[in-house]
Amino acid sequence: QVQLVESGGGLVQPGGSLRLSCAASGRTFSNYYIGWFRQAPGKEREFVASIRWSTTITYYADSMKGRFTISRDNAENTVYLQMNSLKPEDTAVYYCAARMYFQNTWSYWGQGTQITVSS
């Protein structure tokens, strides 16, 4: 059973940084993409970034490029999302998700972690 557990959320001032972690367990993830999504109040969930575990090829939503960096630690089975220059509009619940590389649907989701960007 795949389990994804996010951590690292919290309150941060505009312009600040946070690093989210997604601890993945339950199987070998070499054939998976791990992604980050977010959902702000009253808005639909949106894609943030993803990484293919085996090749570390990364993808970003256009609005996140240059500010957010996704990476993974194979030894720790963890995917990170480094977020810099945070803005109030980045406030959302951030979710980690996983899918096999040949699937279009994200099959597994974490419980989410809240990020609030406010002074």
Side-chain angles (χ1 to χ4, degrees):
Q1 182 73 11
V2 173
Q3 283 194 319
L4 304 171
V5 180
E6 303 96 335
S7 61
L11 174 65
V12 62
Q13 292 188 343
S17 298
L18 277 178
R19 189 178 77 160
L20 302 183
S21 300
C22 173
S25 62
R27 62 188 59 182
T28 302
F29 290 93
S30 56
N31 291 323
Y32 280 76
Y33 281 91
I34 304 294
W36 286 96
F37 293 76
R38 70 184 187 184
Q39 187 166 21
K43 295 189 177 181
E44 293 187 354
R45 188 175 296 182
E46 65 173 340
F47 171 78
V48 174
S50 65
I51 185 168
R52 182 163 176 177
W53 194 278
S54 58
T55 64
T56 69
I57 293 175
T58 58
Y59 303 88
Y60 295 92
D62 287 343
S63 60
M64 320 299 174
K65 287 180 182 177
R67 295 194 301 128
F68 292 5
T69 303
I70 189 171
S71 62
R72 67 111 174 96
D73 184 326
N74 199 41
E76 297 293 329
N77 245 30
T78 298
V79 172
Y80 301 100
L81 183 69
Q82 178 67 43
M83 304 183 293
N84 299 326
S85 302
L86 285 163
K87 307 172 183 179
E89 50 265 42
D90 294 317
T91 295
V93 178
Y94 284 70
Y95 297 90
C96 176
R99 65 172 176 88
M100 295 200 75
Y101 72 93
F102 54 83
Q103 293 178 326
N104 292 323
T105 302
W106 294 86
S107 302
Y108 305 98
W109 292 85
Q111 82 287 353
T113 186
Q114 176 71 48
I115 304 294
T116 301
V117 184
S118 175
S119 55

